[in-house]
Amino acid sequence: MDATIDRALDAVGPRLKRLRLQRETTLTLLAEQTGISASTLSRLEAGLRRPTLEQLLPLARAYGVTLDELVDAPSTGDPRLNLRPLTCQDGSTILPLTRRPGGIQAYKFVLPTGNDDKEPDLRTHEGYDWVYVLNGTLRLVLGEHDLTLTPGQAAEFDTRTPHWFGATSSGPVEFLSLVGRQGERVHVRAAPKPITTE
């Protein structure tokens, strides 16, 4: 068992470096976010130092991943509850949040810093999408509309409309996406009526 733990801890350094480069952040900025010195972060990434739990917790929080993902823990139990992120060639990460047949599927997207001059590659497909921005600025090109969404803002649309998502040059963006079949929509509950006194 000790050899397995040793191998897992030895693999953390390259994983930390890959995450930092994907997020396009510096050791200095990461040090500010985590309270871990830049020199210690550098040694962790290079494999010259093994991480402690006290270091892994703030790093997982800063990167928006679980401890299991940082140490690449083996899958346990129901695979629907142990969803692994998918890393794309463009540096984006997609984390499936549901794995059930049919119904609305939920995903968390993390897109690296974008290029504001990039020509969007609009796509269409069957379905309906609802997006909600968690962090950063999301550029959403929807047909003839070029929208910028900030944290707390949401958009919903028919995916047969040509569309494209991207981060802006201001930095990476994290957002949630709920995708359903054509005609299937997210149900929003209205706020209760205010109580009036007579």
Side-chain angles (χ1 to χ4, degrees):
M1 187 64 155
D2 288 342
T4 303
I5 293 171
D6 287 345
R7 279 195 303 275
L9 289 176
D10 288 342
V12 170
R15 195 169 295 114
L16 289 172
K17 185 168 187 174
R18 189 168 55 252
L19 281 168
R20 183 173 60 79
L21 295 176
Q22 286 173 350
R23 302 298 196 277
E24 297 184 356
T25 191
T26 64
L27 288 171
T28 304
L29 183 58
L30 188 59
E32 292 172 10
Q33 293 173 333
T34 61
I36 303 168
S37 72
S39 61
T40 298
L41 291 169
S42 177
R43 288 195 298 273
L44 288 172
E45 287 185 1
L48 301 174
R49 183 172 177 173
R50 284 208 169 149
T52 64
L53 183 59
E54 289 79 16
Q55 293 165 333
L56 289 174
L57 286 170
L59 285 166
R61 193 176 307 117
Y63 288 131
V65 298
T66 65
L67 285 175
D68 283 354
E69 291 169 55
L70 278 185
V71 298
D72 197 26
S75 299
T76 57
D78 188 338
R80 292 173 296 176
L81 302 179
N82 191 16
L83 304 172
R84 297 280 183 179
L86 310 167
T87 304
C88 304
Q89 288 182 337
D90 64 358
S92 60
T93 302
I94 304 169
L95 178 63
L97 301 176
T98 54
R99 273 204 191 141
R100 62 183 175 83
I104 292 178
Q105 302 295 311
Y107 301 90
K108 178 181 177 184
F109 286 80
V110 180
L111 307 182
T113 302
N115 177 352
D116 294 335
D117 297 327
K118 179 178 180 178
E119 189 65 33
D121 180 18
L122 289 103
R123 304 285 174 101
T124 62
H125 54 89
E126 287 293 316
Y128 202 83
D129 199 347
W130 179 87
V131 296
Y132 178 85
V133 179
L134 298 168
N135 292 301
T137 303
L138 177 68
R139 181 179 174 205
L140 168 60
V141 177
L142 187 56
E144 62 202 37
H145 304 285
D146 196 335
L147 309 168
T148 303
L149 305 176
T150 56
Q153 292 186 317
E156 60 177 315
F157 58 93
D158 185 322
T159 56
R160 291 177 296 187
T161 303
H163 61 280
W164 175 86
F165 299 103
T168 65
S169 61
S170 64
V173 64
E174 296 179 59
F175 65 96
L176 299 176
S177 174
L178 301 177
V179 182
R181 294 186 308 269
Q182 204 62 47
E184 187 174 30
R185 308 242 337 238
V186 174
H187 299 284
V188 180
R189 185 174 157 191
K193 291 182 181 178
I195 299 172
T196 57
T197 57
E198 295 182 15

